[in-house]
């Protein structure tokens, strides 16, 4: 069971009439170890949902709605590599997903805004003297949705890929009881144009830095 939160109920796009969603879930997977520094995981998932909480496009805005009956299924794959006593860490994750919106009156038979393909890659270097380097890449495939109107039309939001990076230097003293970290971080480094909601640009390149103190 999943209950609607404050955002889906009472934000500017909220719907206070939402009901809780209920689902029957199945996960079946296999984990492969014993390949030295390489780990692999593959998982099949299936979710039969009732009153699923999803987005509904209204043309120039969106709201949330309950989908009477929906099916979500797919395969998640993870590949991890760890070398040199955690000096190098790398992980690649891929999700292939199919959805069904089982409301008979709809033109689009899949759920709105659900991409079929997602990919994430994470690379980290952790040096013994406190320096750490990290880079991530996130890919989201095309997302389709049904635009409401006299004649329902099917629109497509384009795929996109984002690259993030972070450089940090950490200083420890008193056996690690106290620590100071200086960092510089960038998100969407290549200033890719992308949309998380229809016709609304998401944040572009974002560079910032700071420090954190632990005691």
């Amino acid at each position: 069971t999943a209950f609607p939160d404050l955002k889906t109920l009472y934000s500017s796009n909220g719907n206070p009439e939402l009901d809780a969603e209920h689902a029957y879930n199945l996960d079946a997977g296999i984990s492969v170890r014993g390949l030295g520094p390489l780990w692999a995981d593959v998982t099949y998932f299936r979710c039969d949902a009732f009153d699923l909480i999803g987005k509904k496009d209204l043309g120039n805005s969106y709201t949330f709605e309950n989908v009477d009956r929906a099916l979500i299924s797919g395969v998640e794959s993870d590949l991890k590599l760890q070398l040199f006593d955690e000096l190098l860490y790398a992980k690649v994750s891929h999700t292939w997903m199919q959805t069904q919106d089982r409301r008979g009156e709809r033109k689009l038979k899949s759920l709105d805004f659900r991409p079929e393909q997602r990919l994430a890659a994470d690379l980290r270097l952790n040096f013994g003297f406190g320096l750490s380097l990290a880079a991530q890449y996130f890919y989201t495939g095309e997302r389709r949705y049904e635009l409401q109107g006299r004649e329902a039309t099917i629109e497509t939001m384009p795929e996109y890929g984002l690259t993030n990076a972070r450089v940090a230097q950490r200083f420890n003293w008193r056996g690690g009881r106290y620590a100071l970290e200086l960092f510089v971080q960038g998100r969407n480094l290549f200033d890719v144009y992308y949309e998380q909601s229809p016709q609304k640009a998401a944040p572009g390149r974002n560079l910032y830095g700071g420090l954190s103190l632990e005691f």
Side-chain angles (χ1 to χ4, degrees), residues 71-208:
L71 174 65
I72 303 171
S73 62
V75 177
E76 292 181 342
S77 304
D78 291 329
L79 193 63
K80 303 176 188 177
L81 177 66
Q82 192 165 295
L83 291 172
F84 310 119
D85 194 25
E86 301 186 8
L87 169 65
L88 171 66
Y89 172 85
K91 179 180 179 181
V92 178
S93 301
H94 177 263
T95 301
W96 173 79
M97 180 173 67
Q98 285 192 324
T99 65
Q100 295 179 23
D101 189 324
R102 293 182 170 176
R103 291 175 292 182
E105 71 274 12
R106 276 175 53 93
K107 187 174 182 179
L108 179 64
K109 299 306 178 183
S110 59
L111 292 171
D112 291 334
F113 307 111
R114 304 293 179 114
E116 187 176 277
Q117 306 281 346
R118 285 186 183 271
L119 175 72
D122 186 1
L123 176 64
R124 302 181 190 183
L125 292 171
N126 298 297
F127 298 95
F129 50 88
L131 177 66
S132 62
L133 309 175
Q136 295 89 32
Y137 177 76
F138 302 95
Y139 168 81
T140 299
E142 290 184 346
R143 293 144 293 156
R144 300 201 301 167
Y145 63 98
E146 184 173 307
L147 186 61
Q148 302 298 310
R150 289 186 177 181
E151 294 185 8
T153 59
I154 298 174
E155 302 289 339
T156 300
M157 295 172 63
E159 62 185 3
Y160 63 89
L162 304 179
T163 303
N164 303 336
R166 187 176 191 270
V167 180
Q169 177 64 55
R170 184 181 179 89
F171 303 94
N172 297 303
W173 65 94
R174 291 197 176 182
R177 290 178 57 194
Y178 302 94
L180 172 68
E181 184 178 70
L182 306 174
F183 68 90
V184 177
Q185 188 163 334
R187 295 182 178 177
N188 193 5
L189 291 180
F190 299 105
D191 202 23
V192 173
Y193 178 88
Y194 68 104
E195 299 174 358
Q196 293 178 324
S197 298
Q199 302 178 8
K200 294 182 180 178
R205 183 185 295 116
N206 190 336
L207 303 173
Y208 58 96

Side-chain angles (χ1 to χ4, degrees), residues 21-62:
E21 68 177 56
H22 306 269
Y24 296 98
N25 295 282
L26 169 68
D27 294 293
I30 183 171
S31 296
V32 180
R33 302 292 185 264
L35 301 177
L38 193 63
W39 295 9
D41 298 287
V42 179
T43 303
Y44 168 81
F45 61 88
R46 178 188 171 99
C47 173
D48 287 280
F50 303 85
D51 289 328
L52 178 75
I53 298 173
K55 283 184 178 180
K56 176 182 180 181
D57 186 72
L58 300 176
N60 58 358
S61 64
Y62 70 89

